[in-house]
Amino acid sequence: MTTTTNTLPTLSSLLDDVASAIARDGIERHEHDVARVASAFGAAGRAGPVLDLVLDRSQPAVARERAFGRLTPELRAVGARSIAA
């Protein structure tokens, strides 16, 4: 029996990785990854003002980081399906 391993990151694993990176380095050093999470979130039909704040680079980093944290429960609710890199 052959087992195929899915090498694409899941939304849940991406979220964990990005949240850890933001906590370690700040949101500004991980804009590309934040955009990937936001894209997955938007693709799931979950756009809104909190997501807009996360993506708004003119806002203070601390506000964007807190908004990212507020997205976490909703992102987990989207599920652990694979996302594009």
Side-chain angles (χ1 to χ4, degrees), residues 3-74:
T3 304
T4 303
T5 303
N6 184 0
T7 58
L8 290 175
T10 64
L11 182 54
S12 182
S13 67
L14 176 63
L15 175 61
D16 291 343
D17 292 346
V18 175
S20 294
I22 289 171
R24 183 183 61 242
D25 305 321
I27 198 166
E28 292 135 336
R29 294 199 50 203
H30 300 283
E31 295 293 349
H32 174 75
D33 293 326
V34 169
R36 286 178 61 205
V37 170
S39 176
F41 194 72
R46 306 263 180 134
V50 176
L51 181 61
D52 293 341
L53 177 59
V54 168
L55 295 173
D56 188 349
R57 293 182 185 187
S58 70
Q59 295 299 316
V62 67
R64 295 178 63 216
E65 291 165 1
R66 288 184 63 151
F68 188 90
R70 298 240 357 239
L71 289 177
T72 301
E74 291 185 57

